[in-house]
Amino acid sequence: MEARRGGRWEGDPLREAMERALRAEEDRMAGKAASPYHGATGEPFLPESLSVSELEDLATCPFRFYVRHLLRPRGDREAEDGGWADLGAFLHRVIARVFRAALAEDKRKGKEVSALALGEGGLLEKAFSEVEAEWGRRPDSPFFLRRPDWPHRRGRFFRLLARAFGDGKGFLKEDAEILDVEVEVGAGKVFKGLVRGYDGLKVQGAIDRLELRSGSRFYLDYKLGSAFPRVKDPRTGELSTDLQLPLYILLHGKGRGAGVYYSLTTGKTKSAKRDLSALWVVFKEVRRALKNGAFPPHPDRKGEACRGCSAALLCRYAGR
Ligand code: SF4
């Protein structure tokens, strides 16, 4: 550091990288948008598949998609969200294990699953401890489990799940009939022929839970955070289009059924908003980004997507 301050760069192993970074920053400051540092790859990006959450990122802010799913900087998840995404996946796994165990005993009604989860057998406690031990043994065990405060935090997250299983309404209606959990959905050959020879993209996702309520199909999706997902509507620039559950309903239910998001943190629910014309416009934008391989920072009009964005360290968007 002292040598650098004195302008003595000879033999500095970081010299080349630093000079490159400096040039990139100068280009960005000068407004050269068509550079890879601004998400312009210069050629079509034609992946074999994208998940629904990747599509959500792409629709909300192309640069976020570029950073998170193309560049994938090392250490990004731990540095940015403290393992929040892994924690969400962990809680999803615990919930799915409880439902699977209940279905294996042919307990399909919400009331029965709730009794198994929280009653004498303590299925929820058992599933929580099992997944915790399994994930803890993994060579790449998640950061949140390695944090020294996990023994204190685990109680809080366990209580969130216990509240969900016991609420009898938002998360698990007593008379609901559980059909399946973690249902894979997908569509193939989307955007086929985007450029000559391209065979199309597979869109993949997983429905957290599928159930019948008064004879109608319900698609449920759990969120760890308090916000429910909305992507940018290109017509208004607002974060107002619901992509995830409407897409699942289209792909899995052929357009029939209703969807509900449940926040584990707040215990609140929100119904899915089906707006086919908005979905159509979103897909048109996605198509354009992939075809041009252009992923500039372009969040919603109010920059709400920038709050807590995990790509912020690499992003120089001036409007946040
Ligand atoms: S900080 Fe905002 S503009 Fe930058 S990548 Fe994230 S959402 Fe996009």
Side-chain angles (χ1 to χ4, degrees):
M1 293 292 288
E2 283 305 313
R4 284 176 194 157
R5 278 195 197 108
R8 291 166 57 195
W9 290 91
E10 309 81 45
D12 192 315
L14 287 183
R15 178 175 185 165
E16 202 190 317
M18 288 170 112
E19 283 175 350
R20 210 169 41 232
L22 183 62
R23 274 197 306 277
E25 292 297 341
E26 282 169 354
D27 284 354
R28 288 204 280 206
M29 302 295 272
K32 283 193 189 163
S35 88
Y37 301 105
H38 231 79
T41 65
E43 54 189 52
F45 175 64
L46 305 169
E48 271 183 26
S49 67
L50 285 179
S51 69
V52 171
S53 65
E54 286 167 338
L55 278 178
E56 284 185 316
D57 274 342
L58 182 49
T60 299
C61 175
F63 194 74
R64 180 154 87 190
F65 167 83
Y66 177 65
V67 172
R68 291 180 56 173
H69 308 293
L70 272 81
L71 298 183
R72 296 191 197 154
R74 262 179 299 169
D76 168 54
R77 296 176 78 168
E78 295 185 5
E80 294 304 320
D81 67 7
W84 193 246
D86 287 336
L87 184 54
F90 171 83
L91 296 179
H92 276 70
R93 185 50 45 88
V94 174
I95 294 170
R97 187 166 293 200
V98 171
F99 278 104
R100 288 228 163 83
L103 291 177
E105 289 188 30
D106 206 23
K107 307 278 189 213
R108 297 188 166 267
K109 288 286 180 197
K111 204 172 169 181
E112 295 172 321
V113 179
S114 175
L116 272 181
L118 305 174
E120 248 179 52
L123 187 52
L124 176 60
E125 175 72 67
K126 187 167 169 273
F128 197 102
S129 304
E130 281 175 2
V131 178
E132 185 184 23
E134 287 166 16
W135 284 38
R137 282 196 295 270
R138 283 184 354 197
D140 60 339
S141 72
F143 179 57
F144 74 88
L145 280 180
R146 288 181 273 124
R147 277 174 54 152
D149 60 352
W150 172 244
H152 303 288
R153 294 174 87 211
R154 86 181 288 285
R156 180 178 155 235
F157 292 111
F158 179 79
R159 283 192 294 280
L160 292 182
L161 296 189
R163 176 180 67 183
F165 276 97
D167 80 349
K169 355 186 246 288
F171 179 78
L172 188 54
K173 282 199 183 293
E174 292 192 345
D175 59 349
E177 184 186 341
I178 316 305
L179 295 178
D180 209 347
V181 292
E182 292 189 327
V183 185
E184 300 287 333
V185 281
K189 302 200 184 289
V190 178
F191 304 141
K192 189 170 183 233
L194 189 62
V195 299
R196 190 191 287 260
Y198 181 47
D199 198 33
L201 158 83
K202 256 192 223 147
V203 174
Q204 295 170 316
I207 302 161
D208 286 340
R209 196 168 88 226
L210 183 57
E211 64 187 32
L212 287 178
R213 292 185 185 177
S214 311
S216 304
R217 248 164 209 263
F218 266 77
Y219 293 81
L220 283 103
D221 190 82
Y222 326 129
K223 298 288 171 213
L224 174 55
S226 54
F228 296 108
R230 291 284 183 268
V231 302
K232 185 179 64 189
D233 183 334
R235 298 167 300 188
T236 60
E238 303 280 343
L239 278 189
S240 60
T241 302
D242 189 355
L243 179 77
Q244 187 178 3
L245 281 174
L247 200 55
Y248 291 165
I249 295 170
L250 274 179
L251 296 180
H252 187 271
K254 309 271 183 284
R256 285 207 300 274
V260 181
Y261 298 98
Y262 176 85
S263 159
L264 291 164
T265 302
T266 64
K268 291 186 179 157
T269 57
K270 190 166 178 88
S271 301
K273 188 171 137 197
R274 282 163 64 186
D275 180 345
L276 286 183
S277 60
L279 276 188
W280 177 246
V281 183
V282 164
F283 270 90
K284 236 171 113 179
E285 283 295 300
V286 166
R287 186 179 191 282
R288 196 165 64 169
L290 296 176
K291 186 171 181 183
N292 299 331
F295 306 100
H298 188 201
D300 57 292
R301 202 160 53 82
K302 295 180 192 150
E304 283 178 54
C306 301
R307 278 187 226 137
C309 172
S310 61
L313 275 179
L314 293 180
C315 173
R316 300 294 181 271
Y317 177 63
R320 12 183 194 126

